[in-house]
Amino acid sequence: MDMLVKKSLHSLTGKLLLTIGTLMIVGSTIFWYFLFRHQEKELLENSVKYAYSFVDYIKKSTHYGMITAQSVLIQQTIEAIGSSEGVLSVRIFDCTGKIAYSSKSDEAGVRMKKDSPSCVRCHGTGLSPSDKPVVSFIRNSENKRVLNIMHPIYNERACYTASCHFHSRDQKMLGLVEANVSLAHLDKSIQQQGIAITMYILIFLFVISIALCTILWNLVSTPVSLLKQGMERVAGGDLDYTLDIRTKDEMGDLARAFNAMTSDLKKTKVELVEWGNTLEKKVQEKTQAIHMAQAQLIHSEKLASLGRMAAGVAHEINSPLTGIVTFGHLLLKRFPPGTQEREDVEVIIEQANRCSNIIKGLLGFARASAAEKAPTNVNDVLDRSLNIVRNKADFFNIKLITEFDESLHRVKADASQLQQVFTNMIINAADAVEGKGTITVISKNITDEGQPVAEIEFRDTGTGISPENIEKIFEPFFTTKPVGKGTGLGLAVSHGIIQDHGGKLLVNSKMGEGTSFFVQLPAYREEV
Amino acid sequence: MSKGRILVVDDEDIVRTSCSRTLVPEGYEVTLVKNGFDGLALLEQGPIDLVLTDLKMPEIDGIEILRRVKEKWPQVEVIIITGYQTVDTAVKAIKLGAFDYLEKPFTPDGLIASVAKAFAHKKTA
């Protein structure tokens, strides 16, 4: 409960209400006080005026009795006047201080002492009794306010010329009239007015407070708590949340700005997420591309350094090989055919030739850049390659099938290098089918990335290439053939040659079903 | 009477020996030198019918010898021998007037055939 009060006091509405309430209560109190005092003063002034005219009325009523010296008439008149409602007492004093007449008949003839309360009012304060009337407020025995008025009776011509000769001409003041009028009615009225004014002000404060509370509640508290709720929702990640404040004031503006901010936030978040996703994908693609480029670079670098090495090795090794071959042949002539020595020398020459072939294979790398390219009919080159191998003993049990597209694109190529590649492919296929099986050579036109390409497929029915080997087949010196059968350079050289022609050498293999090598060469386009 | 005078220029001893051992029994007069300077000096001294020269040698290479021979003694045939063949140099050599282009390691029969063709060509020319 304490907390709630504290919280309410610290809230915007609480503070506003407290401030305005305090100001209004203070203002109303001041207003109430001055109004009340003013009212009271007015009423008292009125009663004083009334008292004057009342005393004047007494004087005039008793005037005739005085002139004609009829004391019974005067006494009767005074008693009559004194019996009026609100009149407590009416007295007429003579100049010696004796009560000449009184509304209370038993008082007549009593001489008042100079220190009695009635006399002190004039004589005690040093005022001259001949001055103007004296008005004072006193409290009676019942503690009710009483208005006391004393009015001097001055000597006048009618007084000293009257037949009774009661007063001499020299006397200035003949006596005085005193009246005590009850102010109980007045006080009651003042009290009632005060209560009424207080009631009016309290009701006014209450109504204003209710109105202020309602207005502040609707204008400030509700929208602010909605805003707070919205901010909490948005902070919690709910970016679909919108504030429903449609007023045209600052709160409405704030809500619209808030909604705009939320929708912007959402858009930005979606963009960020998308960007993050695509970034990941792009990074993956780039990484893959870099890996591929790196692999390609390493491969090219390998081939290039191998080419340089091959050139050097070829130059150095071929001279001693020339010696071995020449002297081998010279020796051969000395031994008649069929002798053991002749066979031994033949082995020497054969092995020297093998060395020479290895060197030639290596030189394939060095040669790749020196191709002489011309528009070439690939089918013709394929025919030549097939004719070379067809008559070899290894191909006797192999079925060679050709499916050539007669309208195959011409390509710009070095025919001898192409023939080297094709021969290599066919020999590899023959090795794969192990002397018996089918080799199919197909040429056809395809489109690769929108460009016309001549594709040659070499399909065998061999054992296939295992997945772990398929990555290595284009590496130099990789071979699965028995020692002495292959150098492991054929595919590497072929790959280099096809790349140099701007083409691709691809492989597709299934274990147990066979392998297809695809040579793809960009079609030659006549320059117009 | 020899079939002809042949000058062999090669920095490799074994190649020079192989040439002489192949060609001398065939009846040619073979002179062996190990560099271009000696070869050109010999050409200045006496008549030579055929020059067999290695392509890649220090200082004066086979192409240079070929060019000078064809400048001064256009009637002399030249056969280029090389340890490794590139199409570039082969084309260049043939354009400069080389008669043939022999790749190492050559067989005695191949060398004899090439030389014989050169002499036959010379006679008809």
Side-chain angles (χ1 to χ4, degrees), chain A residues 415-455:
Chain A
S416 67
Q417 288 192 355
L418 274 195
Q419 191 175 332
Q420 186 187 341
V421 172
F422 294 160
T423 311
N424 187 256
M425 292 291 150
I426 297 161
I427 290 171
N428 278 351
D431 288 339
V433 299
E434 289 167 348
K436 48 184 185 299
T438 308
I439 298 172
T440 315
V441 182
I442 305 157
S443 70
K444 60 170 180 263
N445 291 327
I446 61 161
T447 308
D448 183 31
E449 290 168 7
Q451 300 296 317
V453 166
E455 184 186 74

Side-chain angles (χ1 to χ4, degrees), chain A residues 60 72 123 180 188 194 241 246 258 328 407 495 511:
Chain A
K60 281 174 179 156
V72 179
H123 298 288
N180 281 311
K188 202 177 172 191
Y241 187 80
R246 290 188 187 153
F258 178 86
S407 63
H495 189 251
M511 288 299 285

Side-chain angles (χ1 to χ4, degrees), chain A residues 311 314-315 318-323 325-327 329-330 334 356 360 363 367 370 372, chain B residues 12 14-15 17-18 21-22 54 56 83-85 87-88 91 103-108:
Chain A
H315 186 251
N318 274 333
S319 292
L321 277 180
T322 307
V325 170
T326 303
F327 284 87
H329 277 281
L330 290 176
R334 296 198 192 165
S356 169
K360 277 197 185 115
L363 281 172
R367 274 181 203 161
E372 246 187 56
Chain B
E12 289 269 357
I14 185 68
V15 179
T17 318
S18 294
R21 288 295 299 270
T22 307
D54 189 19
K56 206 177 170 200
Y84 77 111
Q85 184 190 0
V87 177
D88 278 0
V91 169
E103 230 179 305
K104 290 182 199 173
F106 47 82
T107 59

Side-chain angles (χ1 to χ4, degrees), chain A residues 441-473:
Chain A
V441 182
I442 305 157
S443 70
K444 60 170 180 263
N445 291 327
I446 61 161
T447 308
D448 183 31
E449 290 168 7
Q451 300 296 317
V453 166
E455 184 186 74
I456 307 97
E457 181 185 349
F458 300 88
R459 189 191 299 163
D460 68 54
T461 55
T463 49
I465 306 166
S466 68
E468 65 264 27
N469 282 344
I470 209 152
E471 285 176 14
K472 300 183 198 156
I473 55 169

Side-chain angles (χ1 to χ4, degrees), chain A residues 9-23:
Chain A
L9 280 178
H10 281 116
S11 75
L12 206 57
T13 315
K15 282 175 181 169
L16 273 171
L17 279 178
L18 198 67
T19 313
I20 295 172
T22 311
L23 280 174

Side-chain angles (χ1 to χ4, degrees), chain A residues 1-6:
Chain A
M1 188 65 191
D2 252 16
M3 285 294 289
L4 200 69
V5 171
K6 253 186 192 171

Side-chain angles (χ1 to χ4, degrees), chain A residues 27 69-70 73 131 193 260 274 276 280 289 373 470:
Chain A
Q70 298 181 62
L73 180 66
D131 279 342
Q193 281 208 10
E274 263 176 29
E280 207 168 303
K373 292 169 192 162
I470 209 152

